[in-house]
Structures are given as C-alpha cells and as structure tokens.
Amino acid sequence: MRLTVAQATVRFLAAQFTERDGVEHRLIEGCFGIFGHGNVAGIGQALLEAEVADPAVLPYHQARNEQGMVHAAVGYARMRNRLSTLACTSSIGPGATNMVTGAALATINRLPVLLLPGDVFATRVADPVLQQLELPYAPDVTVNDTFRPVSRFFDRVWRPEQLPGALLGAMRVLTDPAETGAVTLAMPQDVQAEAFDWPAELFAKRIWHVPRAVPEPAALARAAAVIRGARRPLIVAGGGVIYSEATDALRAFAEATGIPVAETQAGKGSLPFDHPLALGAVGATGTPGANRFAREADVVIGIGTRYSDFTTASRTAFQDPGVRFVNVNVAAFDGAKHAGLPVVADARAALEALASALAGWSAPSAYREAAAAANAEWDAVVTAAYAAEHRPLPAQTEVIGAVNEVSAPRDVVLNAAGSMPGELHKLWRTRDPKGYHVEYGYSTMGYEIAAGVGVRMAVLAEEPDRDVFVLVGDGSYLMMAQELVTAVQERIKVIVVLVQNHGFASIGSLSESLGSQRFGTAYRYRSGESGRLDGGVLPVDLAANAASLGVTVVRVATVDELRAALRDAKAAPADGGPILIHVETDPLAGAPDSDSWWDVPVSETAALDTTRAARAEYERQKKAQRPLVGPDTEENDA
C-alpha cells in the first residue's frame, strides 16, 4: 500500500485496540492537534483524509494550546483506566516544546498519551528551517530531544523504513501498565510527506492484551507471612487500585481481614468515604486518623502506590521502629521502595490471591472498631468544614461542600494545583471509584480545565449524564483557560467552579509557615509608597474573560447562591457547552489540620525573625524523618 508516512501512521493508529478481561477498547480514540508548517502537510493532511473517509474512526479535535491538549488526553486516559487514550500532534519548535510539561505530567502519573511533534528536515536540505534549533556540535539534535527524559518511549522517524518498528514500540509501552507514560514519536516534516510501499498487514486490526500479572507464589507466601504477623497493619491504596478496577477486591479483602485502608491522591475512591474501614486520605494532606494509624502501623501494605513525599509525609508518616512494607505493584521499581517486600502483580489479582492466602486470619476486632471510630470522628469534622459559615467571604471548604452536596455519586470532581488538592484529599466524600480526579503527581497549574474537557469526552459516549465539576483557582485559571474554547466548539459540558481569592493561596500559606511572609503570592498593584507589590487588588475580571470565550457564566456571592447555580448547571443539557460559576473566597480561611508534615527546606540563616522561627520548627520536624532503607527481614525488626 503506497501511503505517506503520515497517512500510514494515522491508518495504523486507527487499527489499534486493547483488551482486558475479554473487553475490547479502541486504543487511540482520536487526535488533538494544532497545525503549523511542521505538521500541516503531513499529519494534518492524513487526518483530513481519514475524517473524509469516516469521521468516527480517528476524530480530530481542535486544541488552543499544545500543553492543554496533552492534559486533555491525560485526563481522558485516566478516566478510561489507561485502556484508551488520545494522540496529540504539533508543529515544529514551540508547538512541540509546549507539550513537554504535559509529557512530564503523563509519565510521572503513569498515564499513557501519544505525542507526535513535528521535527526538522531529515534531509537537512533547507537547514535551518523556521524554528529550528542549531547546535554546531550536534546537527542531529533538535528541540524534540527535550522529550527524552520525560517520555517512557522516544523515537525519531528519520526514514520511512523505521516507522513500523517505532509504531509497534510505541504501542507496546502505551499498553504496558508497568511501563506506560508519555510516548513520543518525533516526525521530521519532510518524512511525514514522503511516500513508501507498506505491507498491508501493518494496518490490520491489532489487539494489545493488557495482562493481569499474578504474583509469584514465593513472593505471595512471604507477603502473607508478614501480614499474618502484623498487629497493626495498614493498607495504603494508590492509583493502581483504581486503574486495575480492583476496588471490589480491595473492599472484600479489607472486610475479610479487618485491615483499615488509607488512600493516596490517585487512590482516593478505593473505598467509599463512609465504609467503616476507610480512614480517608493519608500523608501531608491526610486526615489525623489515617496519619495516626500510619504512625503506629507495624506493617504497611502499599497497593498500586509510588509512595510520593505527600503520601509518606516526607518519610515521617511511618514511625513504628520495626515497620515493614509489603508493596503490591505492577512495576518492580515501585514495589521495591522503602526496602519493602515487592509483590510484582496486578492489584486485583494480588488482592484476590492474598485474600485466599490469608483465609481465616483477621486483625483484632478492637482494631476494626478503632478504624470505624476514626472514620466517624473525621466525618463530623468534614460536616463542620462544609458548614463553616465563614464571613464576609465564604471559606473554600464551603465551596467544596456545596459541590459535593449537589453532585451525583458518579459525577467527577477534578483539580490539580493550589490549596484545593489538599482540602479535597481530606474533605471530599468520594462515592464512586472514578468520582475523584486530582492530578497530584506533577500538580500542574493549568491542568484542570483542559483535563476536565478530556474527562468529559471520555464519558460522553456511555454516560452523558455523568457531569464533570472542575474546581480551579484564579492562579491556575490564568495559567491555562484556553481549552474552554474547545469545549464551546465541541459543545462539551463541563461545570467549572472558579474560586477567586486574588493570588496563590496555597503557596501563600506555605510561605507564611516557612517564615517568608506570603511574599510574592498576592495579586496586587505595585505600591507607589513602598515600591513593592502590596497595593490594591487588581481589577481583573475572570468571569468576564470566560464569557468573552463563549462560556455560560454565573456569578455568585454566597454559598446558597452557589448551590442554586450548581443545581441549574446540573440540569443544563448534556450538549450545552461549558458553564462557569465564579465565586470569591477568603484566602486566609484554612481547612482542618492533617497532623502531618511536608519537607520544604527553610533558610538556615536569615535576618527575619519569622524565618528563624520557621527554621527552628523545621529542624524539630526533621528529627522524625526516617531513611527506610533497612533490609526487610525479621532480624531487622529485632
């Protein structure tokens, strides 16, 4: 079949499928793109031909920012439990490097996304082309080499003959739960348009089987023995529980063994919030109850978690002198963390095998009762935070409470950066495994709106009534709101709650705790008197900005008005396009404390009294930090 490299790429992608548990999914469900001279005549022309032939096979979606379209693809992939994703194509130069942040986010969060950036001329006949980086010592290096450290697979297709191997390698990584992340195929612009005779079998339907790796019997036996010897075991549920659809298996395992469950950001929703063994969030943004159980745990069973510093409270969360870790993960890299006993397996398969191996064993009944008491105690705190009645401006916790109250159990709340991830982790009452979507691996400002579009796209075909609530602060909105135009264009209903607090509230609070007096975190005029940014509030109207993009905008001033606006938004047509609700909150109204710590170094010397006091507190907290590098043996316990 004589096709260009770009045409062959598009035809190949349209024929790729995944399968798990007997259910098939299209692997690449569509392609976002912004066109320039580096891809318009190659990938752009190929997508046009595909759309003319059948718009449903590999639909094209018009993005407004290259980083934003990667965020949308990542949100889509996460909602689909990594079994489907979207491709993203850009031109050469800045269009390509705009995608690097999205690539890093995908790889850090172990989420598949396919990137097709345009590149320089392979022939070098016209060097230097527009936007080409020239390195006199390395003419084969282009700006696309910046994708290498943030991609799980990278290749540059210098010749048509290289395309089949590059495509097959890319699909292998996209569909491997242990290896997945950003996959980058750099496409020189002249090669994209070059024709070649391809074997027809390259374009045949190809099914990539996503395995449920079972635990090695010896590793399973060792893990069961460690758990049987535990007096105070604790499960830390991570994103792997959600992606492997293991929530039912986790619930059955917890109920059979009496082991309470704490959740990471990616794992939130592993148990419903009101389950008596659900301790909720753990770590620096966790609940006091979960962190108390973590401090006292003698065996920590990590399931699908990569143990970020927020999860471990910068390695201060687990304080039992002989604490041991049993780490269930599809990736051996994550399974070996904290000198733990690795069980390299799919989360669901491992939980089912562990349940069988531990049949008849259970933690003491008093331990179960203590977990249930901690759950009830924290639920009362959440109720109070939801109804804080803070004046004159509402607290952010009240906004979260209103959204939680109005949203349906299977609706999705989405966020990524600022003060809201911590408050959501602690306070959001999750009722469905896919109802909570907070990106906290890279915590990228600007992720929220674009990813909300991707999540909504992922649910439209099968669950059009499943609404997506995007919570975004003014700082994150200003970073990236352009994909609202894509939502208008595609009539994608996302309900955006824009929380205006006139600055970087999260970093302001952190700055104050570190003795830096909220420096540089408020949006203010430069004062003519002090020469500093401490003048009046800026007259920026983000609601008007959203309205100018074609978005339906509602301004509210009180929590009651917010609830009414949310209910109206819920009732709006599924194809009515985006709705933005603007509410102003008090940036100084805090959330309930986590009784935990996060390691952010404080200046060792300082002229400011506030910084010196913060340094003293920092040194006190550092004393609780543990290396967690000892061998996992009974002898080590002694």
Side-chain angles (χ1 to χ4, degrees):
M1 301 180 69
R2 190 161 183 81
L3 302 167
T4 68
V5 167
Q7 292 163 356
T9 298
V10 169
R11 185 170 297 199
F12 174 90
L13 295 179
Q16 306 306 300
F17 292 79
T18 60
E19 176 275 324
R20 186 170 70 183
D21 301 334
V23 180
E24 284 188 17
H25 309 264
R26 188 176 291 277
L27 175 55
I28 308 297
E29 293 270 13
C31 184
F32 272 104
I34 296 178
F35 297 115
H37 67 286
N39 66 340
V40 64
I43 296 292
Q45 190 278 339
L47 287 169
L48 168 63
E49 284 199 358
E51 185 174 280
V52 169
D54 186 350
V57 173
L58 196 72
Y60 164 71
H61 303 284
Q62 191 178 71
R64 268 67 194 177
N65 179 283
E66 291 88 356
Q67 182 185 147
M69 67 188 183
V70 182
H71 292 335
V74 169
Y76 189 102
R78 176 168 169 174
M79 199 64 193
R80 291 293 186 89
N81 286 332
R82 308 192 293 199
L83 297 171
S84 298
T85 188
L86 302 170
C88 299
T89 179
S90 77
S91 186
I92 181 178
T97 54
N98 278 351
M99 296 197 293
V100 172
T101 294
L105 180 149
T107 295
I108 285 169
N109 285 284
R110 320 293 206 259
L111 293 166
V113 62
L114 176 63
L115 309 180
L116 303 170
D119 215 319
V120 300
F121 277 50
T123 58
R124 303 183 188 170
V125 66
D127 283 4
V129 298
L130 178 64
Q131 299 174 327
Q132 178 176 344
L133 171 71
E134 289 187 279
L135 295 179
Y137 61 87
D140 63 330
V141 172
T142 78
V143 295
N144 285 343
D145 286 275
T146 59
F147 285 99
R148 290 182 184 271
V150 295
S151 299
R152 293 297 288 175
F153 182 90
F154 176 93
D155 200 359
R156 183 180 282 112
V157 183
W158 290 115
R159 293 291 307 139
E161 294 90 338
Q162 297 170 344
L163 182 66
L167 288 172
L168 291 169
M171 298 305 107
R172 177 190 65 79
V173 173
L174 286 173
T175 58
D176 184 339
E179 291 292 323
T180 197
V183 166
T184 303
L185 296 181
M187 308 288 278
Q189 53 192 295
D190 53 345
V191 176
Q192 289 182 44
E194 187 174 346
F196 189 75
D197 293 319
W198 309 96
E201 57 266 29
L202 180 64
F203 309 114
K205 179 179 178 179
R206 193 180 305 264
I207 301 174
W208 298 84
H209 299 279
V210 179
R212 289 198 180 276
V214 298
E216 180 208 6
L220 179 67
R222 288 192 294 268
V226 170
I227 296 169
R228 282 183 179 276
R231 301 180 303 280
R232 299 176 303 278
L234 174 68
I235 293 170
V236 175
V241 174
I242 308 291
Y243 304 144
S244 66
E245 299 169 351
T247 53
D248 288 342
L250 175 65
R251 181 172 185 160
F253 179 78
E255 291 173 351
T257 61
I259 303 176
V261 177
E263 298 168 325
T264 71
Q265 281 279 16
K268 190 170 171 69
S270 295
L271 283 185
F273 80 94
D274 55 355
H275 192 283
L277 288 168
L279 294 171
V282 69
T285 53
T287 71
N291 286 330
R292 183 173 67 252
F293 273 73
R295 280 192 298 273
E296 297 173 359
D298 57 353
V299 172
V300 177
I301 307 163
I303 305 175
T305 177
R306 62 189 189 93
Y307 287 116
S308 76
D309 65 338
F310 264 72
T311 297
T312 69
S314 299
R315 301 201 182 197
T316 63
F318 309 110
Q319 287 295 315
D320 185 277
V323 63
R324 304 178 73 183
F325 292 83
V326 174
N327 298 329
V328 175
N329 208 293
V330 291
F333 173 76
D334 291 316
K337 288 178 177 176
H338 299 331
L341 193 162
V343 179
V344 181
D346 170 81
R348 195 171 88 183
L351 281 165
E352 291 169 349
L354 278 171
S356 178
L358 292 168
W361 178 88
S362 176
S365 58
Y367 195 60
R368 289 177 184 255
E369 293 164 5
N375 178 296
E377 180 182 339
W378 183 251
D379 197 55
V381 173
V382 173
T383 298
Y386 281 4
E389 297 186 359
H390 188 80
R391 298 293 181 270
L393 295 175
Q396 190 167 264
T397 62
E398 296 176 85
V399 172
I400 292 171
V403 176
N404 193 269
E405 175 189 330
V406 174
S407 62
R410 288 182 60 76
D411 287 344
V412 183
V413 65
L414 188 147
N415 184 244
S419 57
M420 275 189 281
E423 295 188 10
L424 285 165
H425 195 205
K426 286 182 284 193
L427 300 176
W428 187 260
R429 288 169 167 161
T430 309
R431 297 153 284 179
D432 182 86
K434 302 302 294 184
Y436 183 86
H437 185 123
V438 171
E439 188 282 298
Y440 218 56
Y442 210 39
S443 187
T444 305
M445 296 183 71
Y447 174 83
E448 292 91 343
I449 290 172
V453 171
V455 169
R456 179 65 177 160
M457 290 171 62
V459 302
L460 267 176
E462 297 180 358
E463 297 181 277
D465 294 333
R466 189 173 201 170
D467 281 312
V468 179
F469 290 85
V470 174
L471 298 186
V472 62
D474 53 322
S476 229
Y477 181 93
L478 285 166
M479 289 281 184
M480 188 171 295
Q482 301 96 314
E483 302 318 309
L484 282 171
V485 181
T486 298
V488 170
Q489 180 180 43
E490 301 263 9
R491 299 183 177 87
I492 295 172
K493 179 187 175 185
V494 288
I495 302 170
V496 179
V497 180
L498 173 55
V499 178
Q500 170 65 272
N501 50 38
H502 301 288
F504 301 115
S506 172
I507 296 303
S509 176
L510 178 65
S511 171
E512 187 172 50
S513 72
L514 302 177
S516 295
Q517 303 175 3
R518 296 182 177 260
F519 175 71
T521 63
Y523 295 158
R524 298 291 187 272
Y525 279 109
R526 187 171 298 281
S527 169
E529 297 179 5
S530 69
R532 301 177 63 193
L533 297 176
D534 58 3
V537 174
L538 301 180
V540 176
D541 190 339
L542 298 183
N545 172 263
S548 76
L549 301 179
V551 178
T552 299
V553 173
V554 182
R555 299 174 187 262
V556 301
T558 68
V559 176
D560 286 341
E561 290 177 0
L562 173 61
R563 288 193 191 95
L566 289 167
R567 291 190 183 100
D568 289 344
K570 276 284 295 175
D575 60 353
I579 301 163
L580 184 142
I581 303 169
H582 180 281
V583 59
E584 190 168 353
T585 63
D586 185 344
L588 302 181
D593 189 61
S594 291
D595 191 19
S596 190
W597 183 66
W598 184 38
D599 190 345
V600 179
V602 180
S603 296
E604 195 168 357
T605 61
L608 300 173
D609 290 340
T610 52
T611 307
R612 288 199 294 269
R615 177 67 192 191
E617 174 62 14
Y618 176 76
E619 291 175 354
R620 186 184 72 81
Q621 295 280 8
K622 283 285 284 186
K623 293 176 182 177
Q625 209 164 32
R626 304 182 61 189
L628 300 175
V629 295
D632 183 71
T633 63
E634 292 292 346
E635 291 78 9
N636 187 56
D637 291 350

